[in-house]
Amino acid sequence: MGRHWQFYLLVLLPMLYILMFKYVPMFGVLIAFKDYNVVQGIWGSPWAGLKYFEQLFQAPFFWQYFRNTLVISLYGLLVNFPLPILLALALNEIRNGFFKKTVQMVTYAPYFISTVIIVSILIVNLSPNVGLVSNLFRLFGMEPIDFMGSASMFKTIYVFSDAWQFMGYNAIIYIAALSGVNPELYEAARVDGATRLQRMINIDIPSLVPVMSILLILSVGSTMSVGFEKIYLMQNPLNQNASEVISTYVYKVGLLNSDFSFSAAIGLFNSVVNFALLVLVNLISKKVSSNSLW
């Protein structure tokens, strides 16, 4: 240990960060089992048992919000998980360096745009009165559509705007994995007469499987953690039936109504579901592909 103290010091700093900002705040989850009172504090507030969990499961709209959260997450996973892989595979086949870098830059740039700006762009361009899409509809003699006011379109707009913003960024890790493939494999495949598509199927995709497995496990492990900020900004009374998810419900109940114990119970339930999904998918991945987080 003495010879490598520099490495232990490097590990110590992130460990302290995780302990301070990830584990210590877990102490606050106790208020989900208490009638929390700000004056009495966490320890001074009386115990309430599972009262808030019963209240949660009996809440009239809870299962609708749970379903919205699950559907948006799975829809997002279905669209946003394969797109970066396809982009990385396509970029790996491009031999024109300038064009390749241009495509990378164009697809990567939206990642740096803040969520507020992204939602503003969506609202302006999808506006039924002055939006770019509505003007195109008028140009072809079609009636404009109020996209942001349509509950049935909310999930699609949310998921595909996420794809536009994060596809280039998420492709980086796959591009990095592809750059580590042994060039001799490609050379041997060329000698055997394999086409580019065959090389992609038989060399590139198998090389990406370990990375794909780990990222899929991590994605499923955060299924119930749909981005609060973007959904909250995109919400309006017309699309609320489809856009209200658990994270926005927690915010409205916990902060706006000051019902901290109830919102803590919702948050804890959310985390337990995420953890159960993470363990389940990790187990399945371990059985199927021998790739897993632990």
Side-chain angles (χ1 to χ4, degrees):
M1 180 175 177
R3 292 175 54 191
H4 305 292
W5 64 270
Q6 298 95 335
F7 298 112
Y8 289 100
L9 184 63
L10 285 174
V11 171
L12 183 63
L13 291 174
M15 284 294 291
L16 284 174
Y17 169 80
I18 291 170
L19 285 173
M20 287 295 296
F21 296 102
K22 301 295 181 184
Y23 280 88
V24 172
M26 285 186 189
F27 170 72
V29 81
L30 275 179
I31 67 174
F33 303 94
K34 291 196 162 201
D35 284 321
Y36 177 66
N37 184 294
V38 177
V39 178
Q40 293 174 308
I42 294 177
W43 286 118
S45 301
W47 289 97
L50 299 177
K51 169 186 165 184
Y52 291 103
F53 291 93
E54 291 172 4
Q55 186 180 331
L56 168 67
F57 296 129
Q58 292 168 1
F61 298 108
F62 173 72
W63 292 110
Q64 180 188 339
Y65 303 155
F66 179 80
R67 187 171 61 251
N68 286 343
T69 307
L70 205 58
V71 170
I72 290 175
S73 293
L74 294 179
Y75 189 5
L77 193 63
L78 196 66
V79 173
N80 294 325
F81 185 73
L83 281 180
I85 299 171
L86 294 175
L87 178 63
L89 289 170
L91 287 172
N92 193 52
E93 291 299 319
I94 294 175
R95 295 292 171 259
N96 185 320
F98 176 77
F99 181 69
K100 184 176 181 178
K101 287 177 183 176
T102 304
V103 172
Q104 273 187 285
M105 187 185 69
V106 169
T107 54
Y108 186 53
Y111 174 76
F112 295 101
I113 304 174
S114 75
T115 305
V116 175
I117 302 297
I118 290 287
V119 175
S120 300
I121 292 172
L122 287 175
I123 290 172
V124 170
N125 283 293
L126 298 179
S127 164
N129 300 318
V130 296
L132 176 67
V133 178
S134 297
N135 286 333
L136 285 174
F137 276 25
R138 288 193 188 93
L139 191 66
F140 291 102
M142 299 165 65
E143 286 295 321
I145 299 173
D146 184 5
F147 291 96
M148 297 303 289
S150 171
S152 62
M153 292 184 179
F154 178 84
K155 296 180 178 69
T156 300
I157 295 170
Y158 177 85
V159 168
F160 281 92
S161 59
D162 259 7
W164 169 61
Q165 188 177 8
F166 296 110
M167 181 171 61
Y169 176 79
N170 292 336
I172 290 174
I173 192 163
Y174 296 111
I175 293 170
L178 287 171
S179 67
V181 177
N182 189 346
E184 291 180 0
L185 292 175
Y186 293 115
E187 194 57 41
R190 284 192 196 95
V191 171
D192 289 341
T195 62
R196 295 177 80 172
L197 182 61
Q198 286 172 327
R199 291 200 298 270
M200 187 185 291
I201 293 171
N202 295 303
I203 299 175
D204 292 342
I205 293 177
S207 303
L208 291 178
V209 167
V211 178
M212 288 161 58
S213 303
I214 298 300
L215 292 181
L216 181 63
I217 293 168
L218 292 174
S219 300
V220 174
S222 58
T223 296
M224 300 299 290
S225 307
V226 180
F228 159 77
E229 188 182 9
K230 187 176 174 186
I231 286 193
Y232 188 71
L233 290 169
M234 289 175 66
Q235 264 187 356
N236 61 51
L238 295 175
N239 65 27
Q240 198 161 5
N241 282 342
S243 63
E244 194 74 274
V245 294
I246 290 179
S247 57
T248 54
Y249 186 49
V250 168
Y251 169 73
K252 290 170 184 174
V253 171
L255 293 183
L256 301 185
N257 295 340
S258 302
D259 195 347
F260 300 113
S261 296
F262 186 54
S263 61
I266 301 171
L268 183 58
F269 169 77
N270 213 23
S271 300
V272 169
V273 173
N274 273 338
F275 181 71
L277 288 172
L278 177 68
V279 172
L280 178 65
V281 175
N282 188 66
L283 187 65
I284 294 172
S285 176
K286 197 172 184 178
K287 293 280 184 187
V288 174
S289 67
S290 302
N291 297 308
S292 63
L293 289 176
W294 62 83

